[in-house]
Amino acid sequence: MTSTWLLIILAAAIIGYSAFSFFYQRKIMKHLTEEEFRAGYRKAQLIDVREPNEFEGGHILGARNIPLSQLRQRHKEIRKDQPVYFYCQNTVRSGRAAQMLKRKGYNDINCLKGGFKGWTGKVKKK
């Protein structure tokens, strides 16, 4: 009986944390449609937070690759005085990247709604 309650509490904690993260990410970054993203990304810092092998397989023209796994060490490569436009495969990593940058004092953070998998614009492959 005790292990059942432990599992219920654990599941509730995971659900609660997930809900908190979801709403916090919606508060700290703008989720842009592809049209909105296209309208602004050339005047911003376009960052692909996917891993290098994903980036080499195809990325939005003009994007820099700073994988989420390296962002903590490389965040100083991103300027605070310019908008940041993130994208990943589907938006999960972009949300985590936004949370990390927000804690470091960045404010103008944007994300491609639906991620790279929904992108229909120009793509560059290595």
Side-chain angles (χ1 to χ4, degrees), residues 30-80:
K30 296 177 205 104
H31 287 78
L32 305 177
T33 64
E34 183 174 343
E35 188 176 298
E36 293 167 328
F37 197 85
R38 280 178 199 263
Y41 83 88
R42 286 191 176 90
K43 298 177 213 133
Q45 302 170 90
L46 180 58
I47 312 291
D48 183 327
V49 294
R50 300 175 302 154
E51 291 301 312
N53 62 324
E54 295 172 284
F55 182 79
E56 289 168 9
H59 58 273
I60 297 174
L61 198 60
R64 267 191 299 164
N65 185 219
I66 303 179
L68 179 62
S69 61
Q70 298 174 15
L71 189 60
R72 184 167 273 116
Q73 296 81 24
R74 296 180 58 191
H75 76 274
K76 289 183 178 163
E77 295 175 33
I78 303 170
R79 295 175 54 162
K80 289 183 180 180

Side-chain angles (χ1 to χ4, degrees), residues 67-115:
L68 179 62
S69 61
Q70 298 174 15
L71 189 60
R72 184 167 273 116
Q73 296 81 24
R74 296 180 58 191
H75 76 274
K76 289 183 178 163
E77 295 175 33
I78 303 170
R79 295 175 54 162
K80 289 183 180 180
D81 64 338
Q82 293 181 348
V84 178
Y85 276 52
F86 279 133
Y87 73 91
C88 61
Q89 197 63 24
N90 58 25
T91 68
V92 174
R93 288 176 275 186
S94 293
R96 290 187 187 139
Q99 287 178 301
M100 196 179 300
L101 286 194
K102 185 66 178 173
R103 284 192 298 270
K104 303 279 186 198
Y106 293 79
N107 290 310
D108 195 350
I109 306 170
N110 304 275
C111 165
L112 175 61
K113 195 182 288 184

